[in-house]
């Protein structure tokens, strides 16, 4: 009898065409699916909590798959890490109820966007460099109004197949972390390209090109053409995916 499992992983997205399997590019989903199928000795579909774009990283991505009982979760993860490339790492495995879904059961997701004002060879692939001074206080004041709205059409990629552009944002703020400025945003769901579009627009606020009222007007316009350009992919991280406790079979996990 097959059981459903949630698996937690992290990856550096630099060399991938995003999470989702692509016909003409290497994806994280494909690498993970191939590795699990190899260990299971049978093709095993892997479904992720969402999809990250090409070049975007994940400190926490969650996926689900169905498999025969995994008797030794810690050993399974160790073997899986041995098969996966060095820029993908699995680190937790939990048994869930049969209908649990990594994408549809998620109650919120958190992203971070990293910005650095300095030239730093160690941040070439991990943070977006900005060349002009930024007013982070103004950017924070603008970011603070995001939870007041639910329709984020102005920050959505055009011509997507979603039924609604409504999202509930619960936090959005900038904070300094060492030599990096980090934008943290949590919502129940995100639209394609949404975080990068928000960051690109907030950067215009930071440069003095937009006021807080301008930022508010952009949201209310529900027009992607009014917002700023999308920020670079390599500064974006999926950092958390949260689920209700009710979907888990037990408290057992492997770490």
């Amino acid at each position: 009898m097959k059981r459903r499992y949630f698996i937690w992983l992290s990856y550096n997205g630099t060399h991938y065409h995003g999470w989702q399997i692509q016909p003409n590019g290497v994806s994280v989903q494909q690498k993970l699916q191939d590795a699990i199928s190899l260990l299971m000795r049978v093709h095993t579909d892997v479904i992720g909590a969402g999809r990250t774009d090409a070049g975007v990283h994940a400190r926490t991505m969650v996926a689900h798959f169905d498999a025969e009982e995994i008797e030794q979760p810690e050993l399974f993860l160790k073997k899986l890490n041995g098969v996966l490339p060095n820029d993908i790492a699995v680190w937790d495995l939990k048994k869930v109820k049969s209908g649990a879904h990594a994408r549809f059961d998620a109650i919120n997701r958190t992203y971070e966007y990293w910005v650095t004002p300095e030239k730093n060879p160690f941040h070439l692939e991990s943070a977006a460099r900005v060349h002009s001074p930024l007013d982070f206080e103004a950017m924070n004041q603008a970011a603070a109004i995001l939870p007041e709205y639910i329709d984020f059409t102005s920050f959505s990629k055009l011509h997507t197949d979603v039924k609604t552009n409504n999202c509930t944002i619960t936090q959005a703020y900038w904070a300094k972390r060492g030599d990096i400025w980090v934008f943290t945003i949590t919502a129940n769901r995100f639209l394609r390209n949404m975080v990068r579009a928000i960051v690109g627009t907030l950067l215009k606020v930071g440069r003095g090109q937009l006021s807080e009222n301008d930022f508010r007007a952009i949201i209310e316009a529900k027009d992607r053409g009014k917002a700023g350009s999308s920020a670079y992919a390599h500064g974006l991280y999926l950092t958390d995916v949260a689920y209700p406790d009710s979907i888990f079979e037990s408290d057992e996990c492997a770490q």
Side-chain angles (χ1 to χ4, degrees):
M1 178 181 175
K2 288 193 173 183
R3 307 298 301 268
R4 177 153 294 185
Y5 291 90
F6 273 22
I7 191 165
W8 278 257
L9 64 147
S10 303
Y11 54 85
N12 181 321
T14 301
H15 302 296
Y16 296 99
H17 286 74
W19 161 264
Q20 193 170 24
I21 292 176
Q22 306 284 332
N24 300 305
V26 181
S27 70
V28 179
Q29 183 184 22
Q30 186 70 67
K31 288 291 186 182
L32 180 61
Q33 185 166 285
D34 288 349
I36 292 176
S37 297
L38 179 65
L39 291 187
M40 294 298 178
R41 299 183 180 181
V42 63
H43 176 78
T44 305
D45 289 322
V46 173
I47 308 297
R51 51 188 178 187
T52 54
D53 291 335
V56 174
H57 316 294
R59 291 185 173 274
T60 301
M61 169 61 90
V62 185
H64 77 251
F65 64 94
D66 296 331
E68 300 293 338
E69 187 81 26
I70 298 174
E71 301 290 349
Q72 296 177 285
E74 295 88 352
L75 181 59
F76 174 79
L77 291 177
K78 183 176 181 179
K79 288 182 177 180
L80 193 54
N81 275 322
V83 174
L84 287 166
N86 290 332
D87 49 10
I88 303 174
V90 293
W91 44 269
D92 202 358
L93 185 74
K94 290 185 179 181
K95 200 181 300 180
V96 296
K97 295 179 179 178
S98 60
H101 197 286
R103 177 184 173 189
F104 299 130
D105 283 329
I107 53 178
N108 63 57
R109 298 163 174 83
T110 299
Y111 281 89
E112 291 181 354
Y113 194 92
W114 293 16
V115 166
T116 176
E118 306 294 338
K119 182 178 181 181
N120 187 327
F122 299 107
H123 291 320
L124 287 177
E125 297 177 351
S126 62
R129 186 185 175 196
V130 290
H131 297 273
S132 53
L134 295 174
D135 183 342
F136 283 96
E137 182 177 350
M139 291 163 67
N140 252 333
Q141 290 174 350
I145 73 174
L146 286 166
E148 297 177 20
Y149 294 89
I150 60 170
D151 188 328
F152 293 99
T153 301
S154 292
F155 301 125
S156 173
K157 186 174 182 178
L158 298 175
H159 311 302
T160 61
D161 57 359
V162 298
K163 296 179 180 179
T164 175
N165 288 333
N166 290 356
C167 308
T168 301
I169 294 176
T170 52
Q171 65 172 355
Y173 63 91
W174 290 89
K176 194 169 186 183
R177 190 181 299 168
D179 61 343
I180 299 290
W181 277 93
V182 179
F183 176 63
T184 301
I185 183 167
T186 300
N188 65 327
R189 63 190 290 266
F190 286 92
L191 308 172
R192 291 286 305 278
N193 210 237
M194 178 175 164
V195 180
R196 290 167 59 195
I198 288 175
V199 171
T201 309
L202 286 173
L203 290 176
K204 295 187 73 173
V205 174
R207 296 186 185 108
Q209 297 169 328
L210 295 173
S211 68
E212 180 181 331
N213 285 336
D214 292 332
F215 186 71
R216 187 182 292 276
I218 287 170
I219 301 173
E220 293 175 356
K222 301 177 185 178
D223 181 353
R224 179 65 184 91
K226 302 291 186 183
S229 300
S230 295
Y232 293 119
H234 68 274
L236 183 60
Y237 297 78
L238 174 62
T239 60
D240 190 42
V241 186
Y243 296 94
D245 292 338
S246 58
I247 69 170
F248 297 103
E249 284 284 318
S250 70
D251 294 331
E252 63 180 281
C253 62
Q255 296 183 4

